[in-house]
């Protein structure tokens, strides 16, 4: 019985997130109210508050989902057995750009929500950065073990790489260049990074 209750709670939780995401995409995060989300879910606002404390909590959950998609793409790169460490660095930079540019161009209102939420909840941003840095550390250590890289301090180097790739990781910067220009810059940066990482 308890399992069925938990399952119902999880289903309702997911239904609320889907309804909120749809409304955020259509009308924007700032113009959406909890009452409207509740109505879309055929429930009272009071019932909605049993699942989420406020709109920020719903937005934070959706923002985490979006940022986790980025991390999952990067995991595929880092743990791809068919790629060399150098290829992984290049693909890591390009995958970061691809996720950010796609989010910005295909779901602009959701992107507005992620930006707003991250402004209010820096802990979400910090966790995302830590997740990406952990993946880079794994990649750099692998490069060292395989004799491809000569990285004295993978932790410091991973942080430096994330700083260098900020241009490709911030949706607000996406209007600055065309996708082609961004891809050229990402490839050039990856080449520059590899010049410093590769074992001589």
């Amino acid at each position: 019985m308890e399992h069925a209750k938990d399952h119902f709670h999880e289903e309702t939780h997911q239904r609320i997130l889907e309804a909120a995401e749809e409304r955020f995409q259509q009308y924007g995060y700032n113009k959406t109210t909890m009452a409207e989300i509740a109505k879309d879910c055929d429930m009272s606002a009071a019932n909605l508050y049993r699942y989420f404390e406020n709109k920020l909590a719903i937005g934070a959950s959706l923002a985490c989902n979006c940022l986790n998609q980025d991390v999952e793409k990067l995991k595929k790169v880092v743990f791809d057995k068919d790629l060399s460490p150098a290829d992984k660095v290049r693909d890591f930079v390009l995958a970061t750009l691809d996720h950010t540019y796609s989010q910005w161009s295909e779901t602009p209102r959701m992107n507005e929500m992620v930006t707003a939420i991250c402004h209010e909840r820096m802990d979400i941003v910090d966790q995302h950065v830590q997740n990406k840095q952990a993946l880079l550390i794994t990649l750099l250590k692998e490069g060292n073990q395989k004799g491809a890289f000569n990285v004295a301090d993978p932790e410091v180097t991973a942080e430096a790489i994330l700083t260098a790739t900020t241009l490709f990781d911030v949706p607000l910067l996406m209007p600055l260049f065309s996708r082609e220009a961004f891809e050229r810059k990402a490839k050039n940066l990856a080449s520059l990074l590899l010049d410093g990482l590769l074992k001589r």
Side-chain angles (χ1 to χ4, degrees):
M1 188 69 182
E2 193 66 33
H3 177 72
K5 189 177 177 183
D6 289 345
H7 182 68
F8 176 76
H9 187 276
E10 184 57 39
E11 273 191 349
T12 306
H13 190 271
Q14 190 57 37
R15 188 158 55 91
I16 292 167
L17 289 178
E18 287 171 3
E21 182 173 3
E22 195 171 321
R23 187 164 276 277
F24 291 162
Q25 283 184 356
Q26 190 169 355
Y27 301 104
Y29 173 76
N30 295 326
K31 292 182 179 179
T32 296
T33 66
M34 288 290 274
E36 288 167 337
I37 296 170
K39 187 178 178 184
D40 291 344
C41 294
D42 296 321
M43 65 170 61
S44 66
N47 194 25
L48 180 60
Y49 281 104
R50 288 175 53 209
Y51 293 90
F52 290 95
E53 184 182 354
N54 48 34
K55 187 174 73 169
L56 178 63
I58 294 175
S61 189
L62 288 170
C64 284
N65 288 345
C66 179
L67 295 174
N68 286 340
Q69 287 170 16
D70 181 29
V71 171
E72 287 305 312
K73 285 181 183 177
L74 296 176
K75 275 184 183 176
K76 287 180 181 176
V77 171
V78 172
F79 296 107
D80 188 333
K81 292 183 171 62
D82 295 327
L83 293 176
S84 70
D87 286 338
K88 289 181 182 183
V89 169
R90 188 172 290 108
D91 286 0
F92 192 99
V93 176
L94 290 170
T96 296
L97 167 62
D98 179 67
H99 178 79
T100 307
Y101 201 94
S102 295
Q103 286 291 320
W104 170 75
S105 61
E106 293 167 16
T107 57
R109 289 189 185 277
M110 285 302 289
N111 190 57
E112 166 197 311
M113 180 210 72
V114 172
T115 303
I117 297 305
C118 290
H119 183 70
E120 295 288 330
R121 291 279 308 275
M122 277 306 294
D123 59 302
I124 292 175
V125 179
D126 291 341
Q127 185 59 57
H128 181 60
V129 170
Q130 285 175 32
N131 291 340
K132 291 183 70 169
Q133 191 163 327
L135 286 173
L136 272 172
I137 290 169
T138 298
L139 169 49
L140 294 173
K141 285 181 176 178
E142 180 198 348
N144 279 350
Q145 287 165 0
K146 290 188 172 180
F149 297 160
N150 185 25
V151 179
D153 192 330
E155 285 80 5
V156 170
T157 303
E159 185 178 26
I161 290 172
L162 284 184
T163 301
T165 57
T166 298
L167 174 63
F168 314 123
D169 206 19
V170 179
L172 287 173
L173 300 177
M174 292 300 103
L176 290 177
F177 306 104
S178 67
R179 184 159 194 148
E180 292 74 16
F182 266 118
E183 286 176 353
R184 185 181 71 251
K185 291 174 186 297
K187 287 174 183 175
N188 288 342
L189 176 62
S191 295
L192 185 65
L193 291 171
L194 287 170
D195 280 345
L197 295 174
L198 291 171
K199 195 170 187 178
R200 296 287 181 251

